[in-house]
Amino acid sequence: MTVICAGCKVERPAMKRPKDGRLLCRECFYQVFESEIHATITDHHLFERGDYVAIGASGGKDSTVLAYIMKLLNDRHDYGLKLVLLSIDEGITGYRDDSLKTVERNKIQYGIPLKVLSYHELYGWTMDDIVRKVGLKNNCTVCGVFRRQALDRGATLLGCNKLVTGHNADDVAETVLMNLLRGDVNRIERSMDITTGGQSEENDLNELTLPRAKPFKYIYEKEIVLYAHFKKLEYFCTECIYAPNSYRGHAREFLKDIEAIRPSAILDIIRSGDSLQLGGKAKNKLPSQKKCTRCGYISSQDVCKACTILEGLNNDIPRLGISKSRRKPIKIQS
Ligand code: SF4
Ligand code: ZN
């Protein structure tokens, strides 16, 4: 459709911006999209000159746009960052092997070096083998615990001092909803941080967990898809073959429904989460952190979750470390 663009005021083909409904031409959309991410990076002091930043790259839309934007903004605003793509190969035949081919191409297109690290190298197991062992119910719990640690280990191996992931506003709002529905306020607080890790007060633990930032915390998924589409960025869009009909999936559907009625709902939920974080005291109740006695990774227990899960896998006790711990019942005051 040809209308007056709300940005440049010129009559030209325009699109309705998902975040606020403004009619923008493509050039103005690029401009607001890129400058909002730059503002998030500078307002929250996500980087310092000289940082060596690992970009968690899966080949999907979020991380592909993240790699493109990090390169673009680093060059445009002279952040002075050294960038590297870091991909984790979970060992999922027909999914990750194909998406990694996309990352290989991104490496050439964006001129950013790439390191691929596999679960098999790190843990001796592929997700294909793990699913054969644990089934399709708890696979994502195992995968999530392993990936988190794998990204940290990979980035540390490369000598990086920061890690960025493509978590977007929809992901953050879904997490708020999920934890709200579970009554887990502590988790809401923790999930709102735009940078996590690397802040341990106990100095000897600092090296164990890299600061991990989310430059897309306020960026709508729909806008990431539009940007990738208009810029003709190459990404992989097939879903993991082991993706379950998870609780997150229900939260996502609910979020999409309310977004259709009120587009600002995603940002409103994030704002609520941020206010909760500012006003809450739940952080004081976080367990103290120490080093895992087996692998040295940061953990609230003597043995970290990844090592506990591995022990279960290696000893034919597949539910070890992944069965839900029972939360204390809530005391109802009379
Ligand atoms: Fe891993 Fe589950 Fe994601 Fe597949 S859907 S990559 S198994 S976390
Ligand atoms: Zn461990």
Side-chain angles (χ1 to χ4, degrees), residues 77-94:
H77 299 287
D78 190 22
Y79 291 160
L81 308 177
K82 187 174 163 194
L83 304 173
V84 60
L85 297 170
L86 173 61
S87 288
I88 304 303
D89 179 0
E90 298 93 342
I92 303 175
T93 315

Side-chain angles (χ1 to χ4, degrees), residues 177-215:
L177 283 177
M178 269 181 2
N179 290 317
L180 194 68
L181 296 171
R182 281 182 181 139
D184 201 341
V185 182
N186 281 6
R187 249 181 225 275
I188 296 181
E189 282 204 73
R190 276 178 276 160
S191 64
M192 296 318 294
D193 288 337
I194 193 158
T195 299
T196 53
Q199 297 158 337
S200 171
E201 280 164 17
E202 294 153 72
N203 287 334
D204 61 328
L205 293 172
N206 277 347
E207 80 237 32
L208 298 174
T209 162
L210 286 183
R212 181 182 295 227
K214 297 189 269 270

Side-chain angles (χ1 to χ4, degrees), residues 57-70:
S58 67
K61 60 179 180 346
D62 301 312
S63 62
T64 300
V65 175
L66 180 66
Y68 178 87
I69 287 277
M70 286 294 296

